[in-house]
Amino acid sequence: MVKQERAARTRDTLIRSAAEVFDREGFSAASLTSISSRAGVSNGALHFHFASKAALVDVVEEEALTRLLAITNSALPLGTSHVQLLVDVTHALTDALRGDVVLRVGFALSGKASRQCRLDLRDRWRCWAEETLKQAEFAGELRRGTGVQDVVTAVVAATIGFEVLGVRESAWLSTSTVTRFWRLLLPTLVPAAHLAGIEAGGTRHPWTAV
């Protein structure tokens, strides 16, 4: 049991270390030696868990998806609108992208045109946002005539833009940036009579999955 726990900890450390090296050096330049060194283990220990860098990249991507699902699989709290849920989850996602290197690298992998992407996190995010907005439309939460696909485009384009820009400047992934975005978009999305009931700054503090 002790050996299994140690092996699990080593594997987790290697996944995080790989994400940190990928984040800092890029996928092509990152070496297994750099990853094992950052994790504090030998190359042999790394190869015991992962046969190649490609295998390690796949596992980082899988772990990133697990973290994304933990954010988007939030249940709708009693009395909360689907629009508010979308706002809250957007805040949670951008906060996690700022602080969680594994999730951030998983999103970056989705944007690599040179790589066959098995688990497209950006598309998973788009699908979740689309489904949530369709539920909001069905519940009568949206302005009459609002094009769901137009809103999905705006939300996904903005959040992916924040993700990309946040690599160089973390302020793009800040609560204030996301709040300003929602203050701009909500009046075009929600009937005026319901607007006061939506918190552009979100209702969850800190930003965690429920």
Side-chain angles (χ1 to χ4, degrees), residues 160-184:
I160 299 305
F162 297 156
E163 171 227 330
V164 173
L165 293 167
V167 171
R168 293 183 177 273
E169 188 177 347
S170 62
W172 284 102
L173 292 167
S174 68
T175 299
S176 60
T177 296
V178 180
T179 300
R180 289 197 301 273
F181 165 72
W182 280 113
R183 284 176 179 162
L184 182 66

mmCIF file of all heavy atoms in Angstrom, residues 160-184:
data_model
loop_
_atom_site.group_PDB
_atom_site.id
_atom_site.type_symbol
_atom_site.label_atom_id
_atom_site.label_comp_id
_atom_site.label_asym_id
_atom_site.label_seq_id
_atom_site.Cartn_x
_atom_site.Cartn_y
_atom_site.Cartn_z
ATOM 1 N N ILE A 160 -11.758 32.312 -24.450
ATOM 2 C CA ILE A 160 -10.549 31.771 -25.064
ATOM 3 C C ILE A 160 -9.543 32.890 -25.311
ATOM 4 O O ILE A 160 -8.327 32.708 -25.159
ATOM 5 C CB ILE A 160 -10.877 31.035 -26.382
ATOM 6 C CG1 ILE A 160 -11.810 29.853 -26.126
ATOM 7 C CG2 ILE A 160 -9.597 30.554 -27.048
ATOM 8 C CD1 ILE A 160 -11.310 28.866 -25.102
ATOM 9 N N GLY A 161 -10.047 34.063 -25.658
ATOM 10 C CA GLY A 161 -9.157 35.215 -25.804
ATOM 11 C C GLY A 161 -8.481 35.578 -24.493
ATOM 12 O O GLY A 161 -7.273 35.855 -24.456
ATOM 13 N N PHE A 162 -9.243 35.561 -23.408
ATOM 14 C CA PHE A 162 -8.654 35.825 -22.092
ATOM 15 C C PHE A 162 -7.579 34.789 -21.773
ATOM 16 O O PHE A 162 -6.527 35.110 -21.220
ATOM 17 C CB PHE A 162 -9.727 35.787 -20.999
ATOM 18 C CG PHE A 162 -10.794 36.844 -21.125
ATOM 19 C CD1 PHE A 162 -12.048 36.646 -20.553
ATOM 20 C CD2 PHE A 162 -10.553 38.031 -21.799
ATOM 21 C CE1 PHE A 162 -13.037 37.615 -20.650
ATOM 22 C CE2 PHE A 162 -11.539 39.005 -21.916
ATOM 23 C CZ PHE A 162 -12.786 38.800 -21.337
ATOM 24 N N GLU A 163 -7.878 33.528 -22.112
ATOM 25 C CA GLU A 163 -6.915 32.440 -21.860
ATOM 26 C C GLU A 163 -5.602 32.687 -22.600
ATOM 27 O O GLU A 163 -4.516 32.600 -22.020
ATOM 28 C CB GLU A 163 -7.521 31.110 -22.302
ATOM 29 C CG GLU A 163 -6.554 29.938 -22.299
ATOM 30 C CD GLU A 163 -6.633 29.113 -23.567
ATOM 31 O OE1 GLU A 163 -7.717 29.041 -24.176
ATOM 32 O OE2 GLU A 163 -5.596 28.536 -23.950
ATOM 33 N N VAL A 164 -5.696 33.003 -23.886
ATOM 34 C CA VAL A 164 -4.495 33.209 -24.702
ATOM 35 C C VAL A 164 -3.724 34.438 -24.226
ATOM 36 O O VAL A 164 -2.495 34.394 -24.050
ATOM 37 C CB VAL A 164 -4.881 33.339 -26.184
ATOM 38 C CG1 VAL A 164 -3.669 33.720 -27.021
ATOM 39 C CG2 VAL A 164 -5.481 32.026 -26.695
ATOM 40 N N LEU A 165 -4.423 35.542 -24.015
ATOM 41 C CA LEU A 165 -3.763 36.769 -23.575
ATOM 42 C C LEU A 165 -3.215 36.642 -22.154
ATOM 43 O O LEU A 165 -2.219 37.268 -21.800
ATOM 44 C CB LEU A 165 -4.742 37.941 -23.657
ATOM 45 C CG LEU A 165 -5.166 38.338 -25.076
ATOM 46 C CD1 LEU A 165 -6.364 39.282 -25.031
ATOM 47 C CD2 LEU A 165 -4.013 38.993 -25.821
ATOM 48 N N GLY A 166 -3.875 35.807 -21.354
ATOM 49 C CA GLY A 166 -3.452 35.634 -19.970
ATOM 50 C C GLY A 166 -2.114 34.949 -19.820
ATOM 51 O O GLY A 166 -1.503 34.992 -18.749
ATOM 52 N N VAL A 167 -1.628 34.299 -20.882
ATOM 53 C CA VAL A 167 -0.304 33.671 -20.834
ATOM 54 C C VAL A 167 0.762 34.718 -20.573
ATOM 55 O O VAL A 167 1.725 34.485 -19.839
ATOM 56 C CB VAL A 167 -0.017 32.923 -22.160
ATOM 57 C CG1 VAL A 167 1.435 32.453 -22.209
ATOM 58 C CG2 VAL A 167 -0.963 31.739 -22.308
ATOM 59 N N ARG A 168 0.587 35.898 -21.150
ATOM 60 C CA ARG A 168 1.572 36.972 -20.993
ATOM 61 C C ARG A 168 1.212 37.955 -19.889
ATOM 62 O O ARG A 168 2.080 38.557 -19.268
ATOM 63 C CB ARG A 168 1.729 37.740 -22.314
ATOM 64 C CG ARG A 168 2.365 36.917 -23.426
ATOM 65 C CD ARG A 168 2.564 37.747 -24.675
ATOM 66 N NE ARG A 168 3.228 36.994 -25.720
ATOM 67 C CZ ARG A 168 4.545 36.893 -25.847
ATOM 68 N NH1 ARG A 168 5.339 37.502 -24.990
ATOM 69 N NH2 ARG A 168 5.068 36.192 -26.836
ATOM 70 N N GLU A 169 -0.085 38.128 -19.656
ATOM 71 C CA GLU A 169 -0.517 39.110 -18.654
ATOM 72 C C GLU A 169 -1.726 38.553 -17.907
ATOM 73 O O GLU A 169 -2.821 38.488 -18.441
ATOM 74 C CB GLU A 169 -0.875 40.433 -19.337
ATOM 75 C CG GLU A 169 -1.138 41.563 -18.369
ATOM 76 C CD GLU A 169 -1.422 42.878 -19.073
ATOM 77 O OE1 GLU A 169 -1.174 42.970 -20.299
ATOM 78 O OE2 GLU A 169 -1.896 43.810 -18.408
ATOM 79 N N SER A 170 -1.504 38.169 -16.658
ATOM 80 C CA SER A 170 -2.540 37.480 -15.882
ATOM 81 C C SER A 170 -3.780 38.332 -15.641
ATOM 82 O O SER A 170 -4.845 37.795 -15.335
ATOM 83 C CB SER A 170 -1.974 37.009 -14.546
ATOM 84 O OG SER A 170 -1.545 38.112 -13.765
ATOM 85 N N ALA A 171 -3.670 39.643 -15.790
ATOM 86 C CA ALA A 171 -4.830 40.524 -15.578
ATOM 87 C C ALA A 171 -5.982 40.181 -16.514
ATOM 88 O O ALA A 171 -7.145 40.440 -16.192
ATOM 89 C CB ALA A 171 -4.424 41.987 -15.766
ATOM 90 N N TRP A 172 -5.668 39.581 -17.670
ATOM 91 C CA TRP A 172 -6.732 39.192 -18.606
ATOM 92 C C TRP A 172 -7.626 38.114 -18.006
ATOM 93 O O TRP A 172 -8.768 37.952 -18.433
ATOM 94 C CB TRP A 172 -6.142 38.699 -19.926
ATOM 95 C CG TRP A 172 -5.650 39.791 -20.805
ATOM 96 C CD1 TRP A 172 -4.358 40.188 -20.998
ATOM 97 C CD2 TRP A 172 -6.455 40.668 -21.604
ATOM 98 N NE1 TRP A 172 -4.306 41.245 -21.866
ATOM 99 C CE2 TRP A 172 -5.578 41.557 -22.256
ATOM 100 C CE3 TRP A 172 -7.830 40.777 -21.832
ATOM 101 C CZ2 TRP A 172 -6.026 42.546 -23.126
ATOM 102 C CZ3 TRP A 172 -8.287 41.763 -22.704
ATOM 103 C CH2 TRP A 172 -7.395 42.638 -23.334
ATOM 104 N N LEU A 173 -7.111 37.380 -17.028
ATOM 105 C CA LEU A 173 -7.884 36.310 -16.393
ATOM 106 C C LEU A 173 -8.378 36.712 -15.014
ATOM 107 O O LEU A 173 -8.767 35.861 -14.220
ATOM 108 C CB LEU A 173 -7.009 35.045 -16.284
ATOM 109 C CG LEU A 173 -6.658 34.380 -17.619
ATOM 110 C CD1 LEU A 173 -5.554 33.346 -17.424
ATOM 111 C CD2 LEU A 173 -7.888 33.728 -18.244
ATOM 112 N N SER A 174 -8.392 37.990 -14.750
ATOM 113 C CA SER A 174 -8.805 38.473 -13.431
ATOM 114 C C SER A 174 -10.326 38.567 -13.315
ATOM 115 O O SER A 174 -11.048 38.621 -14.312
ATOM 116 C CB SER A 174 -8.198 39.854 -13.166
ATOM 117 O OG SER A 174 -8.769 40.820 -14.047
ATOM 118 N N THR A 175 -10.792 38.600 -12.079
ATOM 119 C CA THR A 175 -12.225 38.753 -11.816
ATOM 120 C C THR A 175 -12.750 40.048 -12.419
ATOM 121 O O THR A 175 -13.850 40.079 -12.985
ATOM 122 C CB THR A 175 -12.480 38.738 -10.296
ATOM 123 O OG1 THR A 175 -12.047 37.484 -9.767
ATOM 124 C CG2 THR A 175 -13.954 38.932 -9.990
ATOM 125 N N SER A 176 -11.978 41.120 -12.322
ATOM 126 C CA SER A 176 -12.438 42.419 -12.829
ATOM 127 C C SER A 176 -12.610 42.394 -14.350
ATOM 128 O O SER A 176 -13.563 42.975 -14.886
ATOM 129 C CB SER A 176 -11.464 43.530 -12.431
ATOM 130 O OG SER A 176 -10.172 43.293 -12.960
ATOM 131 N N THR A 177 -11.722 41.708 -15.059
ATOM 132 C CA THR A 177 -11.839 41.625 -16.515
ATOM 133 C C THR A 177 -13.100 40.863 -16.911
ATOM 134 O O THR A 177 -13.859 41.301 -17.784
ATOM 135 C CB THR A 177 -10.610 40.920 -17.118
ATOM 136 O OG1 THR A 177 -9.447 41.702 -16.866
ATOM 137 C CG2 THR A 177 -10.772 40.732 -18.623
ATOM 138 N N VAL A 178 -13.341 39.732 -16.265
ATOM 139 C CA VAL A 178 -14.529 38.929 -16.582
ATOM 140 C C VAL A 178 -15.798 39.684 -16.197
ATOM 141 O O VAL A 178 -16.810 39.633 -16.920
ATOM 142 C CB VAL A 178 -14.460 37.564 -15.870
ATOM 143 C CG1 VAL A 178 -15.697 36.730 -16.186
ATOM 144 C CG2 VAL A 178 -13.202 36.810 -16.290
ATOM 145 N N THR A 179 -15.767 40.387 -15.080
ATOM 146 C CA THR A 179 -16.931 41.171 -14.646
ATOM 147 C C THR A 179 -17.271 42.255 -15.663
ATOM 148 O O THR A 179 -18.443 42.454 -16.015
ATOM 149 C CB THR A 179 -16.672 41.803 -13.275
ATOM 150 O OG1 THR A 179 -16.432 40.765 -12.312
ATOM 151 C CG2 THR A 179 -17.865 42.636 -12.821
ATOM 152 N N ARG A 180 -16.260 42.948 -16.169
ATOM 153 C CA ARG A 180 -16.506 44.000 -17.165
ATOM 154 C C ARG A 180 -17.097 43.411 -18.440
ATOM 155 O O ARG A 180 -17.981 44.012 -19.060
ATOM 156 C CB ARG A 180 -15.204 44.750 -17.481
ATOM 157 C CG ARG A 180 -14.718 45.639 -16.349
ATOM 158 C CD ARG A 180 -13.688 46.658 -16.848
ATOM 159 N NE ARG A 180 -12.531 46.008 -17.450
ATOM 160 C CZ ARG A 180 -11.458 45.603 -16.775
ATOM 161 N NH1 ARG A 180 -11.406 45.767 -15.459
ATOM 162 N NH2 ARG A 180 -10.437 45.050 -17.397
ATOM 163 N N PHE A 181 -16.619 42.234 -18.818
ATOM 164 C CA PHE A 181 -17.176 41.574 -20.002
ATOM 165 C C PHE A 181 -18.661 41.300 -19.813
ATOM 166 O O PHE A 181 -19.475 41.594 -20.698
ATOM 167 C CB PHE A 181 -16.425 40.255 -20.253
ATOM 168 C CG PHE A 181 -17.143 39.336 -21.204
ATOM 169 C CD1 PHE A 181 -17.203 39.619 -22.560
ATOM 170 C CD2 PHE A 181 -17.774 38.183 -20.727
ATOM 171 C CE1 PHE A 181 -17.881 38.766 -23.435
ATOM 172 C CE2 PHE A 181 -18.455 37.340 -21.598
ATOM 173 C CZ PHE A 181 -18.509 37.628 -22.953
ATOM 174 N N TRP A 182 -19.031 40.744 -18.655
ATOM 175 C CA TRP A 182 -20.437 40.425 -18.426
ATOM 176 C C TRP A 182 -21.303 41.677 -18.280
ATOM 177 O O TRP A 182 -22.463 41.683 -18.703
ATOM 178 C CB TRP A 182 -20.589 39.511 -17.217
ATOM 179 C CG TRP A 182 -20.289 38.085 -17.555
ATOM 180 C CD1 TRP A 182 -19.245 37.317 -17.119
ATOM 181 C CD2 TRP A 182 -21.040 37.252 -18.453
ATOM 182 N NE1 TRP A 182 -19.292 36.072 -17.677
ATOM 183 C CE2 TRP A 182 -20.390 36.000 -18.496
ATOM 184 C CE3 TRP A 182 -22.192 37.440 -19.204
ATOM 185 C CZ2 TRP A 182 -20.868 34.947 -19.274
ATOM 186 C CZ3 TRP A 182 -22.661 36.390 -19.983
ATOM 187 C CH2 TRP A 182 -22.004 35.169 -20.011
ATOM 188 N N ARG A 183 -20.777 42.729 -17.714
ATOM 189 C CA ARG A 183 -21.536 43.981 -17.624
ATOM 190 C C ARG A 183 -21.847 44.521 -19.011
ATOM 191 O O ARG A 183 -22.893 45.142 -19.234
ATOM 192 C CB ARG A 183 -20.747 45.017 -16.817
ATOM 193 C CG ARG A 183 -20.783 44.764 -15.316
ATOM 194 C CD ARG A 183 -19.911 45.752 -14.570
ATOM 195 N NE ARG A 183 -19.967 45.516 -13.131
ATOM 196 C CZ ARG A 183 -19.071 45.977 -12.264
ATOM 197 N NH1 ARG A 183 -18.050 46.722 -12.707
ATOM 198 N NH2 ARG A 183 -19.192 45.714 -10.976
ATOM 199 N N LEU A 184 -20.948 44.283 -19.939
ATOM 200 C CA LEU A 184 -21.164 44.727 -21.318
ATOM 201 C C LEU A 184 -22.178 43.847 -22.027
ATOM 202 O O LEU A 184 -23.040 44.331 -22.771
ATOM 203 C CB LEU A 184 -19.828 44.699 -22.074
ATOM 204 C CG LEU A 184 -19.838 45.173 -23.533
ATOM 205 C CD1 LEU A 184 -20.156 46.662 -23.610
ATOM 206 C CD2 LEU A 184 -18.495 44.884 -24.185
#
